[in-house]
């Protein structure tokens, strides 16, 4: 399965989603690793098996085993962190923000790929999961490392396109 096969599964009401999926492969504003790692991390974060499988298959020829694992790790660790830090951010009781998280997050320090790429993937997954605290944290790190606002926007655009593909497939069921 690939992006083309994923597009063929989308109903006519999702014509814009098909067009947007096509634009992801031809986007040149990110490195190959950044682009295909985003597809993997966001595909997993979409929680839709068809989307996940199609995007992993699309990305596999373009990513090393280490980069594939790091993209999967970004989706996984953000699945945990986004829940926790969204709770801390949204809770009226600010005491939770002063308490240690007590969550293992070693992969963030040593992701096995360039830290900027991992941060970009983590940002996009955090956008899908709706964690403002994590979005702000990852965006600040990326901007400090010289990633442009346009690159950040591209990452979040990829996340929105991938999530919309998952929604379109569910809407057609």
């Amino acid at each position: 399965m690939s992006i083309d096969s994923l597009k063929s599964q989308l109903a006519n009401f999702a014509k814009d989603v098909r067009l947007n999926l096509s634009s992801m492969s031809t986007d040149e504003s990110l490195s190959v690793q950044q682009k295909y790692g985003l597809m993997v991390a966001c595909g997993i974060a979409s929680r839709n098996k068809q989307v996940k499988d199609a995007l992993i298959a699309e990305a596999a020829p373009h990513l090393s085993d280490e980069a594939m694992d790091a993209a999967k790790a970004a989706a996984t660790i953000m699945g945990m962190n986004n829940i926790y830090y969204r709770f801390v951010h949204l809770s009226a009781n600010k005491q939770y923000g002063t308490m240690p998280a007590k969550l293992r997050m070693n992969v963030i320090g040593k992701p096995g790929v360039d830290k900027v790429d991992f941060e970009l993937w983590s940002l996009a997954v955090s956008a899908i999961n709706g964690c403002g605290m994590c979005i702000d944290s990852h965006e600040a790190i990326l901007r400090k490392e010289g990633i442009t606002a346009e690159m950040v926007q591209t990452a979040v655009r990829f996340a929105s396109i991938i999530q919309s593909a998952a929604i379109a497939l569910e809407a057609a069921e």
Side-chain angles (χ1 to χ4, degrees), residues 133-159:
M133 192 174 209
C134 292
I135 289 168
D136 287 344
S137 174
H138 295 293
E139 194 268 348
I141 291 167
L142 288 164
R143 299 290 283 149
K144 183 178 176 188
E145 293 296 321
I147 296 296
T148 66
E150 291 77 16
M151 293 170 77
V152 168
Q153 180 194 35
T154 298
V156 176
R157 183 171 48 83
F158 273 38

Side-chain angles (χ1 to χ4, degrees), residues 7-19 168 172:
K7 289 184 333 191
S8 72
Q9 295 176 51
L10 297 175
N12 283 336
F13 65 79
K15 179 174 35 177
D16 290 326
V17 177
R18 284 196 300 264
L19 294 170

Side-chain angles (χ1 to χ4, degrees), residues 40-60:
V40 171
C42 294
I44 293 167
S46 78
R47 293 177 180 81
N48 181 289
K49 182 173 175 28
Q50 293 165 277
V51 171
K52 174 191 65 114
D53 291 348
L55 294 176
I56 288 175
E58 185 78 22

Side-chain angles (χ1 to χ4, degrees), residues 2-101:
S2 64
I3 286 182
D4 286 337
S5 62
L6 180 60
K7 289 184 333 191
S8 72
Q9 295 176 51
L10 297 175
N12 283 336
F13 65 79
K15 179 174 35 177
D16 290 326
V17 177
R18 284 196 300 264
L19 294 170
N20 287 322
L21 282 168
S22 294
S23 72
M24 289 186 346
S25 293
T26 59
D27 186 281
E28 295 182 359
S29 63
L30 302 173
S31 74
V32 170
Q33 181 168 283
Q34 289 169 341
K35 176 169 52 175
Y36 288 99
L38 278 168
M39 290 182 193
V40 171
C42 294
I44 293 167
S46 78
R47 293 177 180 81
N48 181 289
K49 182 173 175 28
Q50 293 165 277
V51 171
K52 174 191 65 114
D53 291 348
L55 294 176
I56 288 175
E58 185 78 22
H62 305 280
L63 294 176
S64 67
D65 291 343
E66 294 81 12
M68 180 67 77
D69 284 348
K72 290 176 179 178
T76 303
I77 200 75
M78 287 305 107
M80 175 181 72
N81 286 0
N82 294 158
I83 296 295
Y84 182 82
Y85 289 106
R86 187 170 61 222
F87 164 77
V88 168
H89 180 245
L90 294 175
S91 176
N93 184 343
K94 297 307 171 196
Q95 178 182 3
Y96 298 112
T98 67
M99 301 168 77

Side-chain angles (χ1 to χ4, degrees), residues 120-135:
L120 197 64
W121 304 337
S122 297
L123 169 74
V125 170
S126 296
I128 289 173
N129 291 336
C131 181
M133 192 174 209
C134 292
I135 289 168

Side-chain angles (χ1 to χ4, degrees), residues 9-11 13-14 17 48 162-173:
Q9 295 176 51
L10 297 175
F13 65 79
V17 177
N48 181 289
I162 292 165
Q163 187 64 26
S164 70
I167 292 168
L169 289 170
E170 291 171 11
E173 290 178 356

